[in-house]
Amino acid sequence: MTNAWIITTSNQIASLVEAARAIGPVTVIALGDEATGIAGVDRVVTIGRGSNAPLEAFAPAVNAVLEAAGADIVFAANRPVERVLAGAVAARLGLPLINGALRVSAGEAEVSRFGGLTQESISFPGGAVVVLEGGAPVEGAEVAPEAGSEEHYGASVSAVEAAGSGPANLAAARRIVAAGRGFKAEEDLQIARDLAAALGAELACSRPLAEGTAWLSKDRYVGVSGMHVAPDLYLAAGISGQVQHTSGMSDSKVVVAVNSDANAPIFEVADYGIVGDLYDVLPAITAALS
Ligand SMILES: Cc1cc2nc3c(=O)[nH]c(=O)nc-3n(C[C@H](O)[C@H](O)[C@H](O)COP(=O)(O)OP(=O)(O)OC[C@H]3O[C@@H](n4cnc5c(N)ncnc54)[C@H](O)[C@@H]3O)c2cc1C
């Protein structure tokens, strides 16, 4: 039976575990101090605990574990450190790297292409390194970890400064309020933050708010080149609904759209649509929830 491997810097790996379980026994390579409390797998190997080297520098240690085992199916969470390590592992093991997979089954992955216009099926009979969204934490008793190699490239973190709000966890969010270019100014995002707080939701956005204006961090934008999310509720405010955006949120259970343009494409994927000015509609919903 083939063993499956997961590379992660956090315990939010439920989607990876589900995909890996379909292949065989699962070993997690857990990097850094945040990747604790991992449950629902067969083995956990820790690397880089308590170290001041950046986790990306531990590629030699990750490769050592995988090479010794002759690994041929490796999953990595779709997060910055894991993507770097996935590339290093794929190069070392001589395996194809399948980035941003939406779904994985035995020997096959579905990947979004051309800004979400097509979905490509890729088969990998000889194994692969597959990057896909991590998901929520796996519930259950923590698997007792064993220490792996600590070999890393020569780099160390010399200073850490707080930089505003913490990282978003959209992949695990059950409710999301997403803001688009319908917001006219950065400070206006407070309207979306207020609604998100009232709903117990994470704040997300379309790409222009993260890459054009940088009003929100890049880990908060949803879409084909951003995060793929599947919450119970996705409320899109001032987002037109281009396919590059909707391909990242189309697995949401309930979609609510607020847009002043009745012909906006977002209404085609919405379960509930409100044609109106978000500057009126969002505060009204927040007030109704309070
Ligand atoms: C290769 C490629 C990859 C891309 N990847 C992504 C991606 O991953 N994610 C992503 O989001 N985009 C992505 N894009 C960009 C995408 O094509 C769109 O340009 C982008 O999603 C548009 O963002 P938006 O809907 O916020 O802005 P717009 O398209 O400008 O829409 C703004 C909407 O707000 C509405 N509006 C304006 N004022 C108000 C108001 N007061 N109240 C209510 N509604 C109002 C307007 O009617 C309009 O529908 C990608 C593009 C390319 C080419």
Side-chain angles (χ1 to χ4, degrees), residues 114-116 179-184 205-209 211 221-227 234 236-248 258-267 274-282:
F114 305 113
R181 245 184 337 206
F183 284 79
K184 306 293 179 255
C205 62
S206 61
R207 189 165 87 162
L209 267 62
E211 291 215 328
Y221 86 81
V222 170
V224 67
S225 41
M227 294 294 293
Y234 190 88
I239 291 178
S240 57
Q242 302 303 315
V243 67
Q244 293 87 1
H245 183 83
T246 56
S247 63
V258 180
N259 198 300
S260 52
D261 176 4
N263 296 315
I266 191 73
F267 289 124
I274 302 172
V275 180
D277 189 329
L278 69 88
Y279 286 85
D280 299 328
V281 176
L282 265 54

Side-chain angles (χ1 to χ4, degrees), residues 17-285:
V17 171
E18 190 184 341
R21 274 258 167 261
I23 288 161
V26 182
T27 303
V28 172
I29 300 178
L31 289 118
D33 299 334
E34 309 285 321
T36 57
I38 291 172
V41 299
D42 300 286
R43 227 180 121 209
V44 175
V45 179
T46 60
I47 287 173
R49 287 248 170 110
S51 165
N52 73 342
L55 294 178
E56 294 93 325
F58 282 94
V62 175
N63 281 329
V65 176
L66 293 172
E67 273 186 313
D72 56 8
I73 298 286
V74 183
F75 295 93
N78 194 2
R79 294 186 284 260
V81 170
E82 286 90 327
R83 284 196 292 267
V84 169
L85 291 169
V89 164
R92 183 71 182 205
L93 301 182
L95 292 173
L97 174 63
I98 299 173
N99 196 26
L102 300 172
R103 275 167 284 277
V104 185
S105 54
E108 195 151 298
E110 274 179 45
V111 181
S112 182
R113 296 286 191 221
F114 305 113
L117 292 175
T118 61
Q119 276 189 14
E120 207 168 70
S121 296
I122 301 174
S123 58
F124 48 91
V129 180
V130 183
V131 177
L132 76 164
E133 298 304 333
V138 180
E139 288 177 10
E142 177 176 5
V143 175
E146 52 194 91
S149 157
E150 290 297 316
E151 190 186 353
H152 60 80
Y153 296 123
S156 60
V157 178
S158 50
V160 177
E161 285 171 29
S165 58
N169 184 14
L170 298 185
R174 299 319 326 149
R175 295 172 184 170
I176 289 175
V177 172
R181 245 184 337 206
F183 284 79
K184 306 293 179 255
E186 184 174 5
E187 56 270 25
D188 299 347
L189 288 175
Q190 191 56 43
I191 302 170
R193 288 197 175 91
D194 291 344
L195 177 56
L199 281 168
E202 279 276 1
L203 182 64
C205 62
S206 61
R207 189 165 87 162
L209 267 62
E211 291 215 328
T213 64
W215 290 349
L216 290 168
S217 56
K218 290 198 177 83
D219 61 356
R220 287 192 188 269
Y221 86 81
V222 170
V224 67
S225 41
M227 294 294 293
H228 184 87
V229 299
D232 296 332
L233 172 68
Y234 190 88
L235 191 151
I239 291 178
S240 57
Q242 302 303 315
V243 67
Q244 293 87 1
H245 183 83
T246 56
S247 63
M249 46 67 77
S250 56
D251 288 337
S252 305
K253 286 199 185 122
V254 175
V255 176
V256 178
V258 180
N259 198 300
S260 52
D261 176 4
N263 296 315
I266 191 73
F267 289 124
E268 290 166 22
V269 296
D271 299 287
Y272 300 94
I274 302 172
V275 180
D277 189 329
L278 69 88
Y279 286 85
D280 299 328
V281 176
L282 265 54
I285 301 175

